[in-house]
Amino acid sequence: LIKRGLLKGLARQIAPALDDFSRAQRMDSTQPRLYLYRGIVEFLNGDFKKARTDVRRAVQLGDEAESRVWLFFSEFKAYDREQAQMNLDRYLALAPAISEEWRHIIRYLVGKEDEEQLRRTIATMKEPWGNPDKDWRAQAQCNMNFVVGLMNHITGRKVGAKPYWEACIDSKAHPLIPLAVATALLRETRPQ
């Protein structure tokens, strides 16, 4: 139900998506992904305050870096960039174990790394479990491209999001959220 709700939401079937999330919540309200995915759908639907509430709940139930990044984007849009960056920077300073990939992505979002540094770091990063894994690197690059693209999208940068989201999709990686959201957003931005 949770994944189906996300996919419906990405297809802009908002009411059926929210129905799926509500059913899933009645069955088990302790699933962090329920709140994260619903928050993403609300974010993409322009309801940034509801998105922030849901993503904050996801963070409370299972504090993952990816959820923190979505919380940053929700706070950025619902309130202001400065507050969102301050909260994310505090998380970066206090977070126990964040993967190197997400640590650098977060450093980029709070202004401690520029895009060039982030790109170079991800390209040279060692696979965390000691085995060379091209799929892991593709996922890290997809996550990076998605986040840089979304940052460009919400700030209205002239570079835009499209080339970054296309790079995420072209990576052939399989991180569900960046790949699915990038695909849905690109579909919306293409001329009909």
Side-chain angles (χ1 to χ4, degrees), residues 71-112:
L71 181 59
F72 164 81
F73 286 125
S74 299
E75 289 178 339
F76 186 109
K77 293 296 282 183
Y79 301 101
D80 65 47
R81 180 181 193 156
E82 203 171 290
Q83 183 67 41
Q85 281 182 310
M86 190 172 70
N87 290 340
L88 192 59
D89 195 32
R90 187 175 24 242
Y91 167 71
L92 185 63
L94 300 174
I98 308 175
S99 73
E100 278 303 300
E101 156 202 359
W102 283 106
R103 181 172 302 283
H104 287 282
I105 290 170
I106 290 170
R107 286 178 54 81
Y108 163 77
L109 290 172
V110 298
K112 292 184 176 182

Side-chain angles (χ1 to χ4, degrees), residues 11-132:
R12 294 300 195 242
Q13 299 170 7
I14 304 304
L18 295 176
D19 287 345
D20 282 347
F21 291 132
S22 293
R23 285 181 55 209
Q25 188 173 9
R26 284 191 300 274
M27 293 167 73
D28 183 358
S29 63
T30 64
Q31 295 297 314
R33 291 283 169 180
L34 162 68
Y35 300 98
L36 176 62
Y37 291 179
R38 185 168 63 191
I40 290 169
V41 169
E42 291 162 339
F43 180 92
L44 297 175
N45 199 39
D47 199 341
F48 305 118
K49 288 186 179 184
K50 279 187 180 176
R52 179 193 179 268
T53 299
D54 274 326
V55 177
R56 181 166 290 288
R57 182 72 178 132
V59 165
Q60 291 167 344
L61 290 170
D63 199 359
E64 296 179 356
E66 187 173 20
S67 297
R68 286 291 182 154
V69 166
W70 277 102
L71 181 59
F72 164 81
F73 286 125
S74 299
E75 289 178 339
F76 186 109
K77 293 296 282 183
Y79 301 101
D80 65 47
R81 180 181 193 156
E82 203 171 290
Q83 183 67 41
Q85 281 182 310
M86 190 172 70
N87 290 340
L88 192 59
D89 195 32
R90 187 175 24 242
Y91 167 71
L92 185 63
L94 300 174
I98 308 175
S99 73
E100 278 303 300
E101 156 202 359
W102 283 106
R103 181 172 302 283
H104 287 282
I105 290 170
I106 290 170
R107 286 178 54 81
Y108 163 77
L109 290 172
V110 298
K112 292 184 176 182
E113 286 186 28
D114 63 23
E115 183 185 337
E116 186 179 315
Q117 290 170 308
L118 174 62
R119 195 163 294 289
R120 197 170 41 249
T121 299
I122 297 289
T124 61
M125 194 175 288
K126 300 259 189 270
E127 195 270 335
W129 302 281
N131 299 321

Side-chain angles (χ1 to χ4, degrees), residues 124-158:
T124 61
M125 194 175 288
K126 300 259 189 270
E127 195 270 335
W129 302 281
N131 299 321
D133 184 350
K134 290 180 184 176
D135 190 47
W136 170 83
R137 185 165 316 284
Q139 287 185 24
Q141 289 173 337
C142 181
N143 286 331
M144 172 196 62
N145 282 311
F146 175 75
V147 168
V148 172
L150 190 55
M151 189 65 174
N152 286 353
H153 180 70
I154 68 170
T155 59
R157 290 187 184 144
K158 290 185 181 197

